[in-house]
Structure formats: C-alpha cells, structure tokens
C-alpha cells in the first residue's frame, strides 16, 4: 500500500472509526500537564498546539503506580488474585519518533531474561500511529541519537502534517492491514510526498543541540574516577528525580507490599536513581553522595545499557532539559567528558 492522506478536518471521522475496535489514546491537556489519555470522541485540536507530552508514553505500558496482585491469608495459606492488564486493543495516536524509539529501547529490557508480563501484554495489544515532528523544541537533540524528527521505523503507521492534510504512510504489516480496512482515506499525490520530504528535512536542520558519540564509551570509562568532574556537574542538581520520571527510557521501579490485617496488595511504582535512598542496603549505601548518583545515571544510559543491549538509553527528546528546575543539561555533561 502506498501513501494515503486525510484532511485534518476529517480526522474525527478517522478516529471514530478506529474507536469501534480500539481504545484510542492521544495527546491531551490534563491538570496542567500534556500526556496521552483516552480520546473523548470529539476534540482533535491537539494538532494545533502539540509539540510533545511532558509525561512520556512509556506510562501507557509501564504505569507510574501499578497493582500487580492482591493476596489474602486464609486457613490453608495465601490466596492470590492476579491483576494482569486486560486484553483490550489500543491505538496510541500521535507518538513522536523519539518516543517510539524509546519504547523499542525499553522493550529490550522488559523482554530480556525476565519477560515482564504486565508491560509486554500492553505492548502486544497496542498499535502505534506516529506523528512526525515538524517543529522540534530547542532542547531536542534526537538527530545525534540517529533519529529523524519527521520519520520513524518504530511505529506501525506514520503521519506527517502537511498543512490541511495528514500524509499517512504504513510502516509495519499491522499498520498496512489496519489502513486497508479504513474508509475515508484517499491516495496521496507527489505534491504531498514532496511537501513531507521538505518538512522532514527542515525539521532535522532546526535541531541545534548535539552530542558527539564518537568514542564516548571509552571516554566515559577513562573519566569514571574523575570525582572532581562529577562533583562539579552535580553541584546544582536538587535530586528531585524529575529527569528520570519524564525520561522515556528510564525504567527503575520499586515494589512494596501494602498489608492490612490478613490481606494486602503488591504494588510497583516508578523509582529514581537520583534519590539518596535508591541504593540503600542494610549495611551501607554505595551512592549516598549526589555526585555518585549523577555519575550512575549517565553511565547507565551511555555505557552500561549499550554494553548490555547494544543501544544507548537516550533518544534526545530533551524532556530532562526542559523540565529540570535548575537547568541541568545532558548535552553539556556528556560533552564535557
């Protein structure tokens, strides 16, 4: 199937048709934040203001807080009630190329030796319809991470905003099958395709921030014991953890049992390597100092994750720069090594 297009004022009709078989989630404003949430069936004005969400789409697959199971103690021992995600199908509409790559990166971890059933069920039951980024933020550096803001191979379908219409390109077989069932789409012409190419080229050229990845892992290993450097770059960090919560690839979590008399529940919640208690053990805390935690965060993303999975755990989305209250900048820290 070749390129298709739909007028933006007909997007409602397109999404309503998808809603017959899928839960549709797309960018929306809620509580002063921009995040993906279930579409109400009417409003598609996000096309006018959407750049990217504050809360990354990983939250759709790996929720900030999640009940894993409940338990109750009876005369014969404990009874367990599993709380697996339902098998409903969902479509994530409007995901940016940086964030679809992020999901591909954390897939490697959640589908590794231990296969996380909660995350994987949601991933298997989801289709990604990407929306190319025509106007990257000034904090973006995705091009350094080999990601084009306007293109993606990590989605099922890719849309490009070409003024009055969305150019629609099937990427995966699942995306191709879905589009073949949809009505209201028309064939795109060479004019729309040329416009999309121009927009993608322009978007990539607008990205001014960059990270030089050449020889980076060797540089990081050589710099590992440079305590003075890590103390300097971590000095203004408040250890609030916002950089990890808005990061589309950070995936650390804590697990706690909440008990009340003879029953309770096991809960998983996001955690952060920036918190001083993150590595506390009964006899010691190997990263009590802030500079050690800062070093761990960057080494994990740019050295350890590539060592384990062959991919850097950063997509250059720039959220950690935009949301940091004291302007800690990953491009400056990595560039200074």
């Amino acid at each position: 199937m070749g390129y298709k297009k739909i007028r933006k004022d007909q997007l409602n009709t397109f999404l309503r048709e998808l809603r017959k078989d899928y839960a549709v989630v797309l960018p929306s404003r809620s509580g002063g934040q921009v995040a993906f949430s279930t579409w109400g069936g009417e409003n598609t004005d996000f096309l006018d203001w959407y750049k990217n969400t504050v809360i990354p789409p990983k939250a759709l697959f790996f929720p900030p807080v999640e009940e894993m199971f409940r338990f109750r103690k009876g005369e014969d021992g404990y009874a367990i009630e599993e709380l697996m995600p339902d098998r409903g199908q969902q479509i994530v509409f409007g995901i940016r190329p940086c964030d679809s790559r992020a999901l591909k990166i954390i897939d490697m971890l959640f589908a590794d030796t231990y296969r996380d059933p909660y995350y994987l069920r949601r991933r298997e039951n989801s289709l990604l319809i990407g929306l190319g980024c025509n106007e990257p933020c000034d904090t973006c550096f995705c091009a350094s991470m080999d990601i084009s803001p306007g293109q993606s191979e990590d989605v099922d379908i890719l849309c490009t905003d070409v003024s009055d219409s969305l150019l629609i390109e099937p990427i995966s077989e699942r995306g191709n099958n879905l589009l073949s069932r949809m009505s209201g789409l028309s064939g795109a012409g060479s004019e729309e395709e040329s416009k999309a190419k121009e927009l993608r080229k322009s978007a990539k050229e607008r990205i001014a921030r960059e990270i030089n990845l050449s020889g980076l892992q060797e540089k990081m290993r050589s710099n590992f014991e440079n305590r003075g450097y890590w103390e300097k770059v971590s000095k203004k960090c408040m250890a609030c953890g916002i950089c990890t919560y808005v990061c589309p690839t950070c995936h650390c979590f804590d697990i706690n049992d909440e008990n009340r008399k003879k029953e309770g529940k096991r809960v998983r919640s996001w955690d952060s390597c920036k918190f001083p208690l993150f590595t506390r053990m009964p006899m010691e805390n190997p990263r009590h100092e802030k500079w050690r935690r800062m070093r761990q965060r960057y080494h994990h993303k740019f050295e350890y994750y590539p060592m384990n999975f062959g991919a850097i755990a950063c997509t250059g989305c720039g959220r950690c720069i935009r949301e940091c209250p004291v302007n800690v900048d990953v491009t400056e820290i990595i560039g200074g090594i």
Side-chain angles (χ1 to χ4, degrees):
M1 177 182 288
Y3 287 95
K4 297 289 185 182
K5 68 176 181 180
I6 187 170
R7 289 183 56 83
K8 287 160 71 173
D9 58 13
Q10 295 297 309
L11 182 59
N12 257 330
T13 305
F14 178 77
L15 294 175
R16 283 175 186 152
E17 189 171 352
L18 290 175
R19 282 183 84 198
K20 294 176 183 175
D21 298 313
Y22 302 89
V24 176
V25 298
L26 44 70
S28 64
R29 289 177 170 138
S30 177
Q33 299 286 2
V34 180
F36 282 93
S37 62
T38 304
W39 185 53
E42 295 292 337
N43 196 343
T44 57
D45 70 354
F46 70 94
L47 290 172
D48 298 328
W49 51 260
Y50 170 55
K51 286 209 167 193
N52 207 347
T53 58
V54 175
I55 307 300
K58 72 177 180 184
L60 297 170
F61 308 96
F62 169 44
V65 179
E66 177 172 33
E67 285 187 38
M68 304 175 76
F69 57 83
R70 295 175 186 153
F71 50 87
R72 177 188 290 271
K73 187 177 182 181
E75 294 181 358
D76 298 325
Y78 281 94
I80 303 294
E81 177 189 358
E82 288 193 339
L83 297 173
M84 292 296 293
D86 66 44
R87 295 186 180 278
Q89 303 281 306
Q90 75 170 349
I91 283 181
V92 181
F93 187 93
I95 187 170
R96 295 300 193 191
C98 54
D99 288 337
S100 55
R101 177 64 57 82
L103 291 176
K104 191 172 182 180
I105 290 171
I106 57 175
D107 283 352
M108 300 172 186
L109 176 96
F110 284 115
D112 196 35
T113 306
Y114 171 72
R115 295 179 58 81
D116 189 289
Y118 304 91
Y119 175 88
L120 293 176
R121 177 173 289 185
R122 294 188 178 99
R123 283 288 278 139
E124 290 162 1
N125 292 342
S126 300
L127 271 85
L128 305 182
I129 301 183
L131 181 60
C133 183
N134 291 345
E135 297 181 5
C137 300
D138 61 5
T139 53
C140 295
F141 55 98
C142 59
S144 293
M145 314 313 290
D146 197 26
I147 297 170
S148 171
Q151 291 178 289
S152 177
E153 298 176 351
D154 306 312
V155 295
D156 297 293
I157 296 169
L158 179 65
C159 297
T160 304
D161 187 336
V162 287
S163 188
D164 293 333
S165 303
L166 293 179
L167 184 72
I168 302 174
E169 178 185 3
I171 302 296
S172 72
E173 186 176 347
R174 293 176 77 196
N176 200 40
N177 291 337
L178 176 65
L179 289 180
S180 67
R181 304 196 306 268
M182 300 298 292
S183 60
L185 303 178
S186 56
S190 57
E191 183 179 346
E192 287 89 1
E193 292 183 36
S194 298
K195 179 67 174 176
K197 287 180 182 176
E198 289 175 14
L199 289 168
R200 291 166 181 171
K201 182 172 182 290
S202 172
K204 195 168 185 177
E205 290 173 348
R206 290 185 191 188
I207 295 175
R209 288 177 188 266
E210 61 180 7
I211 285 181
N212 181 7
L213 299 178
S214 177
L216 177 59
Q217 292 177 30
E218 183 56 40
K219 292 177 188 174
M220 294 191 79
R221 284 191 284 271
S222 299
N223 190 63
F224 185 82
E225 299 291 351
N226 187 349
R227 175 172 176 167
Y229 179 76
W230 292 108
E231 285 183 332
K232 182 180 72 173
V233 298
S234 64
K235 192 171 183 180
K236 63 181 179 181
C237 174
M238 300 168 65
C240 66
I242 189 67
C243 54
T244 57
Y245 285 177
V246 300
C247 174
T249 67
C250 277
H251 50 264
C252 289
F253 58 83
D254 197 6
I255 292 178
N256 288 287
D257 287 349
E258 298 179 3
N259 301 328
R260 184 179 181 183
K261 296 185 177 177
K262 294 184 178 181
E263 60 184 35
K265 58 187 178 182
R266 180 157 294 179
V267 179
R268 173 163 73 175
S269 55
W270 289 1
D271 204 346
S272 171
C273 59
K274 286 298 191 73
F275 297 157
L277 296 183
F278 182 73
T279 50
R280 191 177 74 170
M281 295 181 282
M283 297 298 291
E284 64 171 343
N285 186 345
R287 291 198 286 273
H288 177 72
E289 301 102 322
K290 192 169 59 177
W291 68 269
R292 293 185 189 274
R293 302 196 296 274
M294 177 75 82
R295 182 180 67 179
Q296 166 64 20
R297 172 168 163 74
Y298 290 109
H299 273 264
H300 185 204
K301 288 190 167 298
F302 292 92
E303 186 192 358
Y304 308 149
Y305 208 89
M307 205 185 311
N308 290 327
F309 299 108
I312 290 174
C314 173
T315 64
C317 72
R319 284 186 179 88
C320 57
I321 303 172
R322 286 195 294 278
E323 303 303 328
C324 178
V326 292
N327 301 316
V328 172
D329 187 332
V330 56
T331 62
E332 293 177 358
I333 292 174
I334 295 298
I337 293 175

